[in-house]
Amino acid sequence: QLKELIALSCEPQPLSDSVVAALQEFQSLKGQSAKLHNAMGLELWQHFQRPLQDLQLWRALAQRLLDITASLPDLPAIHTFLPQIEAALAESSRLKEQLTGLQLKKDLLQSIFGPERATALLEQVASSVRDRDLLHNSLLQRKSKLQSLLAQHKDFG
């Protein structure tokens, strides 16, 4: 637009007013664009961090379930906690899918956040996946143990 203004205008004063107005509008749009870019970058970062935050919440729940079910005294307690362990295992599988999906988006993450931030995020994801796998396996073992205790009670009955 600036090139068109310069080419079409023959009067010096209107040209300078038009150029000044165009430059001001350009600077305003440039500032708005930068604000939107930064806001969108922050929203995207939070979006990609969400599975890691969800995993932290799940990890606390899973650890609490393991602690509580380490020695269950009676059959009603087993019936109470076995479904909770099964639900935690289902949530664990859902979280693993999300985290694996993040790992597959390496190129996208690098193009959005740059190689350093993307690599740091992916390293955090890989570490979280390993931690999740360990807790998931512990929950599977605990589920098996509780199911075995239920079977023993049924056989005894």
Side-chain angles (χ1 to χ4, degrees), residues 40-55 95 98-113 117-118 120-122 124-125 128:
M40 187 56 70
L42 180 60
E43 282 185 44
L44 283 169
W45 183 256
Q46 290 171 345
H47 171 76
F48 288 118
Q49 285 282 320
R50 196 161 298 124
L52 292 170
Q53 294 165 351
D54 291 348
L55 181 66
L95 287 168
Q98 288 182 338
L99 293 169
T100 302
L102 272 179
Q103 289 175 315
L104 297 174
K105 295 178 181 175
K106 179 181 178 180
D107 292 338
L108 174 66
L109 293 171
Q110 286 181 344
S111 70
I112 295 172
F113 303 117
R117 281 184 80 186
L121 177 63
L122 291 170
Q124 189 178 8
V125 167
S128 295

Side-chain angles (χ1 to χ4, degrees), residues 58-119:
W58 175 84
R59 186 181 300 142
L61 171 73
Q63 190 58 57
R64 193 172 73 227
L65 279 171
L66 288 171
D67 293 343
I68 290 171
T69 60
S71 59
L72 289 177
D74 57 10
L75 196 59
I78 293 172
H79 280 293
T80 299
F81 288 103
L82 190 57
Q84 291 180 25
I85 289 175
E86 290 170 344
L89 287 167
E91 177 67 6
S92 172
S93 296
R94 186 189 68 77
L95 287 168
K96 178 148 187 179
E97 283 180 23
Q98 288 182 338
L99 293 169
T100 302
L102 272 179
Q103 289 175 315
L104 297 174
K105 295 178 181 175
K106 179 181 178 180
D107 292 338
L108 174 66
L109 293 171
Q110 286 181 344
S111 70
I112 295 172
F113 303 117
E116 290 179 17
R117 281 184 80 186
T119 299

